Amino acid sequence: MTFQEISDILKSTIGDHFTTDEKQVLQPQLIVPADKLKATCLQLHTNPLLYFDFLSSITGLDNGVEKGTFEVLYHIYSIPFDHHIIIKVLVDRQNPQIDSVTDIWKGANWQEREIYDMFGITIHGHPDLRRILLPEDWQGFPLRKDYQVQEYYHGIKVENQENNG
Amino acid sequence: MAENQIEYIYKEENLRTSEPNFFKEKDLQAGEMVINLGPQHPSTHGVLRLEVLTDGEIIKDVVPHMGYLHRCFEKHAEKLPYNQIIPFVDRMDYMAAMNSEHIYAMGVEKMLGIEGTIPKRIEYIRVLVAELNRIASHFVAIGTYAMDIGAFTPFLWLMRDREHINRMLEWVSGARMLYNYIWVGGLFYDLPVGFEERCTDFVNYLKPKLLELQKLVIDNKIFIERTANVGILPLDLAINYGVSGPCLRGSGLKYDLRKVDQYSIYPELDFDIPIGEGKVGTKGDCWDRNYVRVQECHESIKIIEQCVVKLLGEHKRTRDFDPQALAPKKIRPKAMDFYIRGESPKGELGFFFRSTGTYDVPARVHGRSPCLINLSVLPEISKGVMLADLIAIFGSLDVVMGEIDR
């Protein structure tokens, strides 16, 4: 199924809330408002015509302080039908929060924890939202563009090459 | 930098644990106990800490703690040009660096739009070295797994055979494990003279050894007793968790990205996809996953043989062949997002790229690590099993911590 057909099915079932990014030619993306993410994913998973059963990857992105948004991209794949969809959600940088899709695809669990760990996006409805790769008492979210390394961690100086020249 | 700068300050509060236990002592019920496994335990294959809630010897819950090997791959990748990220990609899955490089280079080539211009000889060499590395990775997986559950001999035998592969790849690239051999748009160097013949010798050496391995480990009565019906991963659960690679195929799905996506020159090659059938136990148990790995070694040998024939015949070495000729001096893809995936020995390895179009450095690179997602199924399938079986289940997932933590 092509991208156009998939987005038509979604528009007919959920309503026309979607936009597409014209610049993405190779892999078209469907931009979904944050409050419609859960409904969209549920439709993708349960609709027998779509049957997106395999969540490949969740990626977070920081667009920087000037644009003021984070992006979360979901790469979803259907094994029986061999078609892809990429869902993009824009999240406000001041108050970053998003709905969890863990109860649809359980594999989202640790990937959403990684998004929280690296970007500090709060994930609503996540069963176990803790840091995953960094220690629990680490300060700040490293993949944000304006991230500053803490000076001391447990009394140990944190080496920062940028500050030391 | 000033020499008398203070490097450490002593304070009482600095002695707190940075990764506290998930289960608090006050919440435990009668008979429950928290056992901490790792991070320096040899059967956790690196540095993984498993916090196990047990009732006697029965496991109630497992909480993995990761991040001890976090080397900030994604943060580094924001500062480096595309070709300089390849050594970092090597260090993700250090057991199968060639496969990671292959997928990474393929992704950047597709972004640049030059994937159709790569000479066939380069593609065949890439697949040849990647499949050699796949065998090496599966050998480590099976060898350490056998050692985890108490058999020492297979580990030594498999390490001996893996050594041949390591030496061959050292001959090709100069490094034993972290190669930086596959470049964007080409290769570091052509194959050394005589490599194809040595591949043939190696394949002839390895074929009887694989049958020996089959007898020693897979068909061994003790091994079957230990692994059959242990750690059953049902297919629907595996797909819902996003499990891929030999773990997914062990649950009985014929799904291999080399066939599904038809990337590189895999459509020209003839090989099968082995799947778990539950021959000695239930479909999707630990035995099936290891059986799939051994069968995949046979398939990789088939691929290597076909590559060697092509590299000696149709795409043979010529005097003026330069594998670096097409490697772009300046890698600057158009502004786009791109996700590439491929079959690494552990499963679906994916890379997400965002390029700005105005700069040689990617705005974002994200690695979709198959090990991380395969491991996330561990708490689900190890509830209610014996403590000793936890090691057996964990080992059969074949995770490499370098890729989980990145």
Side-chain angles (χ1 to χ4, degrees), chain A residues 24 27 29 54 56 60 71 77 104 106-107 111 114 132-133 136-137 142 152-155 157 162, chain B residues 5-9 14 16 18 66-67 75 79 240-241 260 337 339 348 354 364 368 373 406:
Chain A
Q24 307 296 338
Q27 293 182 338
Q29 296 171 345
F54 194 90
S56 277
E71 285 173 25
Y77 176 67
I104 303 171
K106 286 178 180 164
Q111 301 193 56
E114 198 183 316
I132 182 165
L133 294 178
E136 204 158 279
D137 51 1
Y152 284 92
Y153 176 69
H154 284 226
K157 190 155 175 52
E162 273 168 29
Chain B
Q5 196 171 353
I6 298 163
E7 295 289 323
Y8 182 72
I9 303 166
N14 289 338
R16 66 188 189 273
S18 55
M66 289 143 287
K75 191 74 182 170
K79 292 267 162 66
N240 199 250
Y241 263 98
V260 173
D337 294 358
Y339 179 75
E348 175 185 333
R354 164 164 293 181
R364 174 97 167 94
R368 188 263 192 211
I373 292 158
R406 275 161 287 148

Side-chain angles (χ1 to χ4, degrees), chain A residues 32-163:
Chain A
V32 176
D35 55 332
K36 289 279 181 282
L37 171 71
K38 193 70 180 282
T40 311
C41 287
L42 203 62
Q43 186 64 234
L44 287 172
H45 186 246
T46 49
N47 193 325
L49 289 171
L50 303 172
Y51 205 79
F52 280 96
D53 52 352
F54 194 90
L55 177 70
S56 277
S57 158
I58 305 179
T59 309
L61 254 165
D62 186 3
N63 283 331
V65 185
E66 286 150 34
K67 285 189 181 166
T69 49
F70 291 120
E71 285 173 25
V72 184
L73 290 113
Y74 298 78
H75 295 86
I76 316 169
Y77 176 67
S78 165
I79 293 176
F81 293 127
D82 187 26
H83 52 220
H84 298 260
I85 184 91
I86 301 169
I87 301 281
K88 182 158 101 175
V89 182
L90 286 168
V91 187
D92 180 32
R93 216 166 179 284
Q94 296 302 321
N95 183 21
Q97 42 191 324
I98 198 169
D99 283 330
S100 169
V101 293
T102 307
D103 43 3
I104 303 171
W105 299 284
K106 286 178 180 164
N109 188 332
W110 286 12
Q111 301 193 56
E112 283 177 344
R113 274 176 71 187
E114 198 183 316
I115 302 276
Y116 165 71
D117 194 358
M118 295 296 169
F119 295 95
I121 299 175
T122 312
I123 306 205
H124 287 297
H126 192 279
D128 175 26
L129 196 63
R130 289 178 292 132
R131 281 185 180 269
I132 182 165
L133 294 178
L134 300 175
E136 204 158 279
D137 51 1
W138 193 262
Q139 289 161 12
F141 303 103
L143 285 182
R144 288 190 179 188
K145 295 284 185 208
D146 57 349
Y147 170 67
Q148 293 290 327
V149 184
Q150 57 194 335
E151 205 176 339
Y152 284 92
Y153 176 69
H154 284 226
I156 305 165
K157 190 155 175 52
V158 179
E159 287 289 335
N160 187 352
Q161 287 182 347
E162 273 168 29
N163 295 353

Side-chain angles (χ1 to χ4, degrees), chain B residues 37-73:
Chain B
L37 199 72
Q40 275 87 18
H41 194 282
S43 65
T44 54
H45 295 210
V47 278
L48 172 73
R49 181 155 79 93
L50 295 173
E51 187 190 334
V52 190
L53 180 71
T54 62
D55 184 358
E57 246 189 290
I58 308 288
I59 287 171
K60 281 191 157 177
D61 207 352
V62 183
V63 179
H65 294 271
M66 289 143 287
Y68 295 91
L69 209 57
H70 182 53
R71 291 148 302 167
C72 322
F73 161 70

Side-chain angles (χ1 to χ4, degrees), chain B residues 240-254:
Chain B
N240 199 250
Y241 263 98
V243 172
S244 49
C247 299
L248 181 60
R249 289 193 284 277
S251 296
L253 184 68
K254 234 183 170 70

